[in-house]
Amino acid sequence: MALTKDDVAGIAEYARIALTEAELSDMTTYMNDAIDLLEPILGYDLDDVEPTFHPIGELANVARDDVPVAGLTLGEALANAASWRERSFLVPQILADGGAA
Amino acid sequence: MRKLSEVLHDWEAVIGLEVHTELTTLETKMFCGCRLSHDDPPNTNVCPICLGMPGALPVPNRKAIEYIVMAGIATNCEVMRRSMFYRKHYFYPDMAKNFQTTQGPVAFVMHGHLDLEIAGDGAKERPDGTIEKAIDGSYVAPIRILRIHMEEDAAKMVHVGGAEGRIGGASESLIDYNRCGTPLIELVTEPDLRTPEEARRFMEKLRQTFLTLGISDCSLEKGSMRCDGNVSLRRRGESGLGTKTELKNLNSFKSLHDALAYEICRQAEVLEAGGTVLQETRHWEPSRKRTVVMRVKETNDDYRFFPDPDLAPFDLSDEFIERCRARVPELPDTKRDRYVATWGLKRSDAAKLAGDPAVARRFEDASHGVKPQAVPMLANVMLNLVPAYKALTLLQITSITELLAADALSFSQARKVLEAVDGTGKMPLAVARDWGMLQSNDTEALAAVVDEVLGRCEAQVQQYRDGNKKVVGFLVGQCMKASKGAGNPKVFNQLLVQKLEG
Amino acid sequence: MTSLDTLTARQIAAGIAAGDFTATEVAHAALDAISARDASTQAFLQVSENLALEAAAKTDAARAAGESLPPLAGVPVAFKDNMNLLGTRTTCASRMLETYESAYTATCVQRMLDAGATPLGKLNMDEFAFGSTTDSSAFHPTNNPWDITRVPGGSSGGSAAAVASGQVTLALGSDTGGSIRQPASLCGVVGMKPSYGAVSRYGVVAFGSSLDQAGPLGRSVEDVALAMNALTAGGRDRLDATSQNCAQDHLAHLEDPIEGRAVGIIPALLEAEGLASEVRTAILDAADKLASAGAHIVEVDLPNMASSIAAYYVLAPCEAFSNLARFDGVRYGYQEPRCTTLAEQSSLSRAHGFGPEAKRRQMLGAYLLSSGVYEKYYLAAQKVRTLITADYQRAFAQVDAILMPASPTVAWEHGAISDPAALYLADVFTISNNIAGNCGISVPVCLGADSGLPIGAQLQGPAFADAQLLTFARALERACHMEGIVAPAFAGKGGELA
């Protein structure tokens, strides 16, 4: 079932990518074409196949010691930010609530 | 609204908790080497990794994984050898990457339980007949734990331009990434809790357990331990689940209890009026003692979970798990039972001492400095006297305990002595002697006081001789007054009776 | 008088050590070559003159102090602009990061510097590495040094063009689905995609985290092997939890004969639709040359390779969506001015900061990861990945390397292919290698019989057999006589070393 413009608009809203009406049409065409390209993987019977999320063989349990390492200075941290005030990053009004943790 | 006890008579509350605990006793964050900041100025402890700068990659803190495995072992969980980190996406700037690194369907530890002993008034919240209770009304509630998973905490946001730093009405927000990336473990219970008291007790027991493990400072006030509650109601006898609401801002044991109690009564009122409970997140307002809607959840959030390709999977070895097991110290319940068995402490006193690892450690250290039969008095001192003072030394504690155990001081005298020695190197014995308090057991000295009192209280002496034995209490009081409180009332009593009978 | 572009990395380092010329002279020659040539190729996004001269001065001071010099001492190198280097911007050829100053240095970059290389600057690429032409750079296209009306390939097109035009001796690129090997093939240089985990990804701006791998491009297999030594020196990078210890001397067996060893070819692949006949001829000819060198040519089959494009175009967009979610204009990057709400600011910053392909890939990824769709595509693709990996394991039980094209055609003209889906299909020869995490290398074998443009042959090897793969690449290079070639229009233009 093909994605509609409404579907694509919903994804764009979630992905925080504002699209103009014309871009939305193009994007819908693109997405449906791209999804058609994925057809080959739908033909498999994969019930008994384990996924390979990490192409790293048997490598596991990679971790580091709990030892502090010097980070960035405040100036370095804020250097690339377009908006900040005193010691903090600054964002405009947040209407929706959030924060899952 | 009806009272909780009435509501719970008709309705069964189904409560589950989600408890987030920051592993504050670690040195560094979950995925980078930044120090954990507690009160540092904003954006002091940040680096390319926890700021999510382009190209930066996470590497997990091994000790954090040891800690969560210890937490699982201490809560009777199964250690899952194979698990992975996942990415949980949501666009919100408190997460620098716009995803949180957390765990997927398999957590490091799963399927545990804690058994809660509910006694006293709190036990009355659970209607009789819904669980087996002891003669004194207490009962044991086994609470299953679904899982404890590892994740990272979010940044702190300060909302400015609105009321009280709340998000609603704020015109802009400031972000401090110091907390972003702090190792966080999230425990999710099964919906096995049935009363606000059980929920409160669960949280308390979990806190005692984590404190004993030394994995966190577990401060509800500062937010290093945070609890959300889910609650729904169903008619007694039914087995389906009602629509649940999620409660936030439960940042004290009292808030946890009171918010759940309020919410249970609120839902009952809605349902009894023929309404429906909406699936929503509600905020507890402690000052107004009510919950208010934060947001209505119409659909489940789609977080686009998938395994984090940057983090190698975990396949914990027997050796690793056993090393974690060996690091789990004696837990509060075991410690309580040992205190009762070894020294004959009252079970409730033993539980209180065992529940706080710092107190328990001090108590056990001090126990070596007193006679075994004085240990119950030591427990009394630890629980009822010591907390009122700033810096009592172990020797001061054992000294005052011995004096109290030998009846050489009264509790009120002991308080005065401790006040004087607190924060100094002075010994209670020496101070009490200097102040003449210790003469109180000196029979000869006290006999002089008794003679003086008997001499001027002829009327009472006569009453006694006429059979009013109770009047001796008045005479003891007079002796205490005459000795300026320094005499041992028991010795006065003995001397008075001797003389009056003699 | 010698032109710098005639020297190999080893010759430059040796010349500096011997006092034939100084690192500073080499740096000036490289800067001179860039100013003479880059107006035509447009390979660079930034030239880091100061960093280059500082590094060269350090090398010269070390020599003056009698210290022994590191293996790449004074060798001019430049980096794809998705690699962080302190003192430079890291733009990923995107408006989103147009002014982004690197806050730290990537491990692969640092290791090249530790080996003594002189950093000349940052190279153009497809925006965020999404593409195979370098035309999607937000700043300017890069031209193929063999014909400047044509694309250099991509996404590491700037890296391939800078090396092919002789502006630098070595460059680093990154390869998520062929982004080193394909431009190397189109520009006539050697480009290696190391095994996944062999080179640290720390500091390389992520596209597809389970597919990305940084690697070197050079004008000879030996130069690339020297760079591999530098990139793997020091072993596993503790800052990349998926990196592994691959430190070894990649030169030790470079000249070993391949007599009696087996090289696979996949006949079905050479009949693939869209494969240019001159490319097919070049690959069959390369097979003959390997056979002449004593290798057994063995037919092998990768039955699930046909599904690799589909699997890749699930995995790569999903990982890209996730990796690029952080670009919201808050901590760094383009921020839309005058927004009244955060949602508006994020959505417009991303809409105006990202180019079309970056948006397309993220949109596709956001869809494919959504609940209910994830199982159908993402999980399935990761299982197909298991099948593709197993195919390779079976093949590598029979052969040490597999020979195939790196690109179905030679370089095409700018703008000749505009349909994104058609461009995706051109990745057919390269992406299965990323899916399996194996190593691969493109070696120039000839100029096309029809076009006169370079054609590379790709060799793929099993994971962590990078040194062995280089041995086969060197054998092919010996037989093909394309070593050290600079695109004729640029050879010797500027860059004289006194």
Side-chain angles (χ1 to χ4, degrees):
Chain A
M1 201 178 67
L3 291 173
T4 65
K5 265 167 70 169
D6 279 353
D7 295 335
V8 175
I11 297 163
E13 191 185 347
Y14 165 78
R16 297 286 192 279
I17 297 175
L19 296 177
T20 63
E21 195 54 38
E23 287 171 329
L24 184 61
S25 294
D26 289 351
M27 187 65 81
T28 306
T29 306
Y30 162 79
M31 300 250 309
N32 285 311
D33 287 353
I35 292 163
D36 285 346
L37 192 73
L38 310 180
E39 200 66 29
I41 60 164
L42 302 181
Y44 282 91
D45 176 4
L46 296 165
D47 287 351
D48 298 328
V49 182
E50 286 294 313
T52 302
F53 292 116
H54 302 86
I56 55 176
E58 298 300 303
L59 183 65
N61 304 324
V62 181
R64 65 183 175 83
D65 293 337
D66 183 33
V67 175
V69 176
L72 298 175
T73 64
L74 179 69
E76 289 165 339
L78 296 175
N80 281 296
S83 303
W84 51 275
R85 182 179 299 153
E86 290 168 10
R87 303 189 57 100
S88 294
F89 296 86
L90 183 66
V91 294
Q93 185 176 27
I94 300 165
L95 289 179
D97 68 299
Chain B
M1 287 196 304
R2 293 203 290 158
K3 281 165 63 185
L4 179 68
S5 56
E6 293 170 18
V7 170
L8 287 180
H9 193 265
D10 300 337
W11 298 89
E12 182 173 36
V14 177
I15 303 168
L17 299 180
E18 289 173 18
V19 184
H20 287 90
T21 308
E22 291 179 340
L23 303 180
T24 56
T25 56
L26 292 171
E27 290 291 315
T28 67
K29 292 187 180 181
M30 188 60 223
F31 296 111
C32 66
C34 286
R35 281 188 186 282
L36 297 189
S37 30
H38 303 291
D39 303 304
D40 294 329
N43 296 303
T44 305
N45 298 316
V46 292
C47 75
I49 299 165
C50 57
L51 283 178
M53 295 186 107
L57 296 174
V59 182
N61 184 333
R62 184 180 297 108
K63 202 163 177 188
I65 294 161
E66 285 173 16
Y67 278 12
I68 193 172
V69 170
M70 285 165 62
I73 291 168
T75 52
N76 308 296
C77 287
E78 181 187 345
V79 179
M80 310 305 284
R81 276 158 200 288
R82 299 179 71 92
S83 69
M84 284 187 281
F85 282 107
Y86 276 59
R87 294 180 178 184
K88 177 184 182 181
H89 301 83
Y90 60 96
F91 279 85
Y92 199 70
D94 66 356
M95 224 13 113
K97 300 161 292 183
N98 283 321
F99 62 78
Q100 181 189 33
T101 307
T102 178
Q103 290 199 280
V106 183
F108 277 118
V109 292
M110 297 181 83
H111 313 306
H113 65 92
L114 282 182
D115 294 339
L116 307 180
E117 289 185 18
I118 312 290
D121 282 348
K124 293 181 190 150
E125 286 182 3
R126 181 108 179 205
D128 292 343
T130 62
I131 197 163
E132 195 181 327
K133 290 186 175 180
I135 290 169
D136 65 358
S138 69
Y139 63 93
V140 174
I143 307 301
R144 290 170 301 155
I145 293 164
L146 174 61
R147 56 190 265 143
I148 313 177
H149 65 252
M150 187 87 239
E151 56 186 36
E152 52 179 340
D153 207 351
K156 266 189 189 142
M157 302 199 37
V158 178
H159 307 296
V160 292
E164 290 177 42
R166 291 283 305 280
I167 196 162
S171 58
E172 49 193 7
S173 303
L174 299 168
I175 315 171
D176 167 12
Y177 287 96
N178 279 349
R179 197 181 66 183
C180 189
T182 296
L184 194 66
I185 61 175
E186 178 178 347
L187 178 147
V188 183
T189 72
E190 297 282 4
D192 287 351
L193 298 153
R194 293 290 174 268
T195 68
E197 174 62 13
E198 289 174 19
R200 193 195 65 76
R201 178 69 192 119
F202 181 89
M203 186 67 175
E204 188 177 75
K205 182 157 187 176
L206 190 67
R207 181 172 180 275
Q208 291 173 348
T209 304
F210 287 174
L211 279 174
T212 301
L213 294 175
I215 61 176
S216 175
D217 66 8
C218 296
S219 167
L220 275 67
E221 196 188 359
K222 286 190 294 175
S224 56
M225 195 170 190
R226 311 191 282 268
C227 178
D228 298 336
N230 291 302
V231 57
S232 65
L233 296 190
R234 63 184 168 204
R235 285 277 176 194
R236 288 251 164 241
E238 283 179 7
S239 58
L241 288 173
T243 304
K244 65 183 177 184
T245 56
E246 185 180 356
L247 305 184
K248 300 246 181 204
N249 196 38
L250 312 179
N251 56 11
S252 69
F253 291 113
K254 185 168 164 43
S255 286
L256 171 62
H257 178 277
D258 294 355
L260 283 167
Y262 172 87
E263 186 60 17
I264 289 166
C265 297
R266 188 194 69 83
Q267 287 188 13
E269 192 173 71
V270 169
L271 294 169
E272 284 163 8
T276 48
V277 171
L278 300 177
Q279 189 179 341
E280 57 195 10
T281 303
R282 300 179 68 90
H283 184 90
W284 170 244
E285 293 186 338
S287 56
R288 308 178 67 169
K289 296 196 180 304
R290 63 173 191 182
T291 62
V292 292
V293 185
M294 280 171 79
R295 67 167 182 161
V296 179
K297 276 193 174 179
E298 284 164 349
T299 52
N300 282 328
D301 293 315
D302 188 346
Y303 291 118
R304 267 83 172 172
F305 275 100
F306 78 101
D308 192 326
D310 286 331
L311 293 160
F314 281 83
D315 185 4
L316 303 179
S317 65
D318 287 343
E319 189 199 354
F320 180 87
I321 296 168
E322 287 316 309
R323 197 164 70 226
C324 294
R325 195 182 304 281
R327 286 189 193 161
V328 174
E330 184 182 39
L331 293 169
D333 284 0
T334 317
K335 205 183 282 279
R336 173 201 64 203
D337 293 347
R338 178 165 61 83
Y339 290 174
V340 171
T342 311
W343 293 302
L345 301 196
K346 262 167 61 188
R347 195 173 159 86
S348 59
D349 282 359
K352 279 184 202 146
L353 289 169
D356 183 327
V359 173
R361 198 172 313 118
R362 246 174 140 210
F363 164 71
E364 293 197 31
D365 288 348
S367 73
H368 303 303
V370 301
K371 296 182 199 80
Q373 59 271 32
V375 173
M377 177 57 76
L378 175 65
N380 194 341
V381 167
M382 290 300 300
L383 292 171
N384 299 313
L385 289 181
V386 172
Y389 304 94
K390 289 193 300 281
L392 295 177
T393 67
L394 220 51
L395 278 174
Q396 287 170 335
I397 292 171
T398 53
S399 168
I400 205 81
T401 299
E402 289 289 13
L403 290 170
L404 284 165
D407 269 337
L409 287 183
S410 67
F411 257 76
S412 65
Q413 287 175 321
R415 284 201 179 87
K416 283 181 193 148
V417 170
L418 290 179
E419 217 159 276
V421 302
D422 189 21
T424 75
K426 289 184 203 157
M427 286 303 292
L429 178 65
V431 170
R433 188 185 293 127
D434 287 353
W435 287 359
M437 287 176 173
L438 292 188
Q439 293 175 352
S440 55
N441 275 352
D442 179 342
T443 318
E444 240 169 86
L446 295 189
V449 176
V450 169
D451 289 343
E452 186 266 324
V453 167
L454 289 178
R456 64 178 160 82
C457 296
E458 284 170 16
Q460 284 77 14
V461 172
Q462 194 51 53
Q463 285 170 20
Y464 185 90
R465 293 199 170 126
D466 290 345
N468 181 6
K469 309 277 183 197
K470 280 185 191 166
V471 81
V472 76
F474 170 84
L475 294 169
V476 169
Q478 291 298 307
C479 291
M480 290 298 289
K481 221 178 205 172
S483 69
K484 296 194 177 70
N488 183 336
K490 283 187 191 164
V491 179
F492 277 134
N493 198 309
Q494 280 170 9
L495 288 171
L496 281 165
V497 171
Q498 265 173 30
K499 300 215 179 219
L500 289 167
E501 298 288 336
Chain C
M1 296 283 274
T2 316
S3 177
L4 178 60
D5 66 19
T6 62
L7 300 180
T8 66
R10 193 208 287 271
Q11 287 167 335
I12 294 169
I16 291 169
D20 298 341
F21 38 78
T22 66
T24 303
E25 285 165 353
V26 170
H28 279 298
L31 289 165
D32 184 42
I34 292 167
S35 59
R37 304 177 196 192
D38 201 46
S40 302
T41 55
Q42 302 191 103
F44 278 85
L45 289 174
Q46 286 169 83
V47 177
S48 55
E49 182 171 346
N50 291 342
L51 292 181
L53 294 175
E54 280 168 29
K58 229 173 85 184
T59 299
D60 290 333
R63 182 177 179 277
E67 294 168 22
S68 69
L69 295 182
L72 293 178
V75 174
V77 61
F79 306 102
K80 187 175 182 177
D81 206 22
N82 61 352
M83 297 174 179
N84 282 277
L85 166 59
L86 265 176
T88 67
R89 294 183 299 285
T90 298
T91 70
C92 293
S94 178
R95 293 279 169 222
M96 179 58 82
L97 291 176
E98 190 168 3
T99 62
Y100 179 79
E101 294 288 340
S102 310
Y104 63 101
T105 297
T107 300
C108 61
V109 172
Q110 189 60 51
R111 287 186 173 182
M112 292 299 283
L113 301 182
D114 291 346
T118 296
L120 269 301
K122 306 293 279 293
L123 298 162
N124 203 12
M125 56 188 282
D126 281 299
E127 185 185 13
F128 280 101
F130 302 135
S132 48
T133 61
T134 311
D135 284 350
S136 72
S137 166
F139 305 117
H140 52 71
T142 289
N143 300 320
N144 190 312
W146 289 81
D147 176 352
I148 61 170
T149 68
R150 292 174 188 263
V151 300
S155 63
S156 309
S159 304
V163 172
S165 59
Q167 301 182 61
V168 287
T169 311
L170 283 166
L172 294 190
S174 66
D175 189 319
T176 306
S179 281
I180 290 174
R181 291 160 289 158
Q182 183 259 20
S185 175
L186 267 47
C187 290
V189 299
V190 180
M192 173 144 183
K193 182 244 157 212
S195 303
Y196 184 83
V199 176
S200 169
R201 292 181 295 115
Y202 188 79
V204 181
V205 180
F207 159 10
S209 306
S210 75
L211 302 158
D212 294 344
Q213 190 62 191
L217 297 95
R219 287 188 297 274
S220 69
V221 173
E222 184 193 67
D223 283 3
V224 164
L226 273 166
M228 282 300 292
N229 279 358
L231 291 169
T232 57
R236 182 180 105 70
D237 180 15
R238 288 182 306 165
L239 296 172
D240 176 355
T242 60
S243 79
Q244 305 198 40
N245 180 10
C246 295
Q248 62 172 310
D249 183 2
H250 293 79
L251 293 167
H253 298 284
L254 203 56
E255 302 296 339
D256 285 2
I258 57 163
E259 207 171 342
R261 302 180 73 179
V263 174
I265 56 165
I266 304 167
L269 214 53
L270 295 173
E271 305 307 324
E273 198 186 333
L275 179 64
S277 69
E278 61 179 341
V279 175
R280 183 172 180 274
T281 307
I283 300 307
L284 290 172
D285 191 44
D288 283 348
K289 285 180 168 134
L290 289 172
S292 302
H296 301 303
I297 304 298
V298 179
E299 290 187 4
V300 293
D301 188 20
L302 300 175
N304 296 290
M305 195 169 172
S307 301
S308 62
I309 289 187
Y312 178 84
Y313 278 96
V314 174
L315 304 180
C318 288
E319 294 184 359
F321 157 71
S322 175
N323 285 326
L324 270 61
R326 66 189 63 195
F327 297 101
D328 58 7
V330 173
R331 291 156 299 280
Y332 44 76
Y334 175 73
Q335 185 183 89
E336 185 79 4
R338 293 177 295 280
C339 291
T340 52
T341 69
L342 175 67
E344 183 191 8
Q345 180 181 291
S346 306
S347 299
L348 288 172
S349 298
R350 289 165 62 76
H352 298 154
F354 289 128
E357 188 63 18
K359 285 187 250 188
R360 285 195 282 265
R361 303 258 184 137
Q362 290 183 77
M363 286 289 294
L364 185 57
Y367 167 68
L368 294 172
L369 285 174
S370 56
S371 80
V373 180
Y374 169 88
E375 290 77 10
K376 184 176 173 190
Y377 290 105
Y378 189 82
L379 192 60
Q382 294 288 30
K383 290 180 170 185
V384 169
R385 179 182 220 162
T386 303
L387 301 179
I388 292 170
T389 307
D391 283 352
Y392 270 113
Q393 279 165 351
R394 272 189 299 274
F396 286 131
Q398 293 173 261
V399 299
D400 295 316
I402 302 173
L403 177 73
M404 65 179 88
S407 164
T409 66
V410 296
W412 57 92
E413 295 193 335
H414 287 293
I417 311 176
S418 57
D419 175 19
L423 279 171
Y424 295 175
L425 293 169
D427 297 338
V428 62
F429 300 109
T430 45
I431 58 185
S432 55
N433 186 270
N434 299 75
I435 288 174
N438 295 330
C439 53
I441 190 167
S442 177
V443 180
V445 289
C446 64
L447 300 181
D450 305 326
S451 63
L453 293 168
I455 295 173
Q458 181 185 200
L459 287 161
Q460 296 189 354
F464 303 118
D466 300 68
Q468 175 183 283
L469 184 70
L470 284 163
T471 303
F472 284 90
R474 175 64 188 134
L476 190 57
E477 182 183 60
R478 268 198 307 265
C480 294
H481 310 293
M482 292 281 286
E483 188 176 356
I485 289 185
V486 174
F490 294 88
K493 200 174 160 193
E496 289 297 308
L497 198 52

